[in-house]
Amino acid sequence: NAGVTQTPKFQVLKTGQSMTLQCAQDMNHNSMYWYRQDPGMGLRLIYYSASEGTTDKGEVPNGYNVSRLNKREFSLRLESAAPSQTSVYFCASIIQGPDTQYFGPGTRLTVL
Amino acid sequence: KQEVTQIPAALSVPEGENLVLNCSFTDSAIYNLQWFRQDPGKGLTSLLLIQSSQREQTSGRLNASLDKSSGRSTLYIAASQPGDSATYLCAVKETSGSRLTFGEGTQLTVNP
């Protein structure tokens, strides 16, 4: 049981490049989330997926797209990276009922 | 809009001391409140979750309390150890299935 896994762990991009951050969970959770964490800003929700086949915008969705590929996987895509997207990105999944969130180890992204 | 504040932003204590971390939120109509621990360069680990109908939760040396009417929660750490050094974040959920709103965290250092 690996919990929530994220790839890659580190990434450096040039402005305008695109990339996809991958997230997978093996806990059979319905809901999955993408957050970014920035100094002085805390964690902010980018997108979430309440269940397979559905996605919704969070607090800061501009510049991002997501895909809920199946129940296990939820990917985050940057189509044209900007320096303002330099951040640490966390994926999380949630078990309904107690609503406890489980987080992945994060992806540290730098956009030059 | 829900806002979550954590005071102090940083705390340094000698080993063995009992300590309290504070979390306040502006809208008392919450579903639950969760305390997380984050080690440097790592993801978030859930410590305690308090449902809106509960007053406190305990796990080992940790005790979290919730006072919805005043919009406050405290995390009490007994007999602190150097291994407790980390950033502690609280987050509130307003309804089942809604997103978490995070505070910016308290960075705790326990000195040997």
Side-chain angles (χ1 to χ4, degrees):
Chain A
N1 189 334
V4 180
T5 59
Q6 292 183 238
T7 57
K9 292 184 178 175
F10 301 93
Q11 184 71 47
V12 178
L13 294 177
K14 295 181 180 178
T15 296
Q17 287 185 316
S18 63
M19 79 160 295
T20 300
L21 281 64
Q22 306 286 353
C23 173
Q25 53 90 10
D26 60 1
M27 296 175 283
N28 202 36
H29 291 169
N30 286 324
S31 300
M32 298 183 72
Y33 300 77
W34 276 106
Y35 293 90
R36 59 178 290 174
Q37 185 176 37
D38 304 288
M41 303 291 286
L43 277 103
R44 294 179 291 169
L45 183 66
I46 305 171
Y47 269 93
Y48 67 100
S49 171
S51 61
E52 185 179 355
T54 67
T55 60
D56 287 285
K57 295 179 180 179
E59 188 180 354
V60 288
N62 291 343
Y64 305 95
N65 285 300
V66 291
S67 295
R68 184 73 183 269
L69 304 170
N70 47 55
K71 192 170 187 179
R72 290 187 64 250
E73 299 172 290
F74 188 36
S75 63
L76 179 71
R77 182 160 178 84
L78 287 70
E79 291 290 352
S80 179
S84 61
Q85 294 178 305
T86 293
S87 187
V88 182
Y89 291 85
F90 289 102
C91 177
S93 68
I94 190 168
I95 182 169
Q96 304 300 139
D99 280 9
T100 304
Q101 286 216 344
Y102 295 86
F103 281 79
T107 294
R108 283 144 189 82
L109 176 67
T110 301
V111 183
L112 303 175
Chain B
K1 178 185 173 186
Q2 179 76 267
E3 294 182 0
V4 180
T5 304
Q6 292 187 246
I7 295 174
L11 181 64
S12 182
V13 300
E15 181 177 4
E17 192 162 297
N18 301 325
L19 58 101
V20 174
L21 306 181
N22 297 294
C23 172
S24 61
F25 45 96
T26 54
D27 187 343
S28 62
I30 65 169
Y31 180 73
N32 64 34
L33 183 146
Q34 197 165 355
W35 282 93
F36 294 89
R37 169 185 172 138
Q38 185 177 27
D39 294 289
K42 304 290 185 182
L44 281 70
T45 300
S46 178
L47 296 173
L48 290 165
L49 183 146
I50 311 176
Q51 300 293 352
S52 62
S53 58
Q54 297 174 323
R55 296 281 296 183
E56 65 178 349
Q57 283 285 338
T58 298
S59 176
R61 294 181 295 107
L62 305 180
N63 177 276
S65 67
L66 174 64
D67 184 343
K68 272 181 39 177
S69 61
S70 66
R72 295 184 181 184
S73 177
T74 61
L75 179 66
Y76 175 82
I77 303 177
S80 58
Q81 303 170 358
D84 294 330
S85 297
T87 296
Y88 292 80
L89 297 100
C90 72
V92 299
K93 179 183 284 283
E94 294 181 11
T95 60
S96 179
S98 70
R99 69 184 184 94
L100 287 173
T101 302
F102 282 85
E104 291 190 31
T106 294
Q107 185 175 354
L108 173 66
T109 303
V110 181
N111 301 300

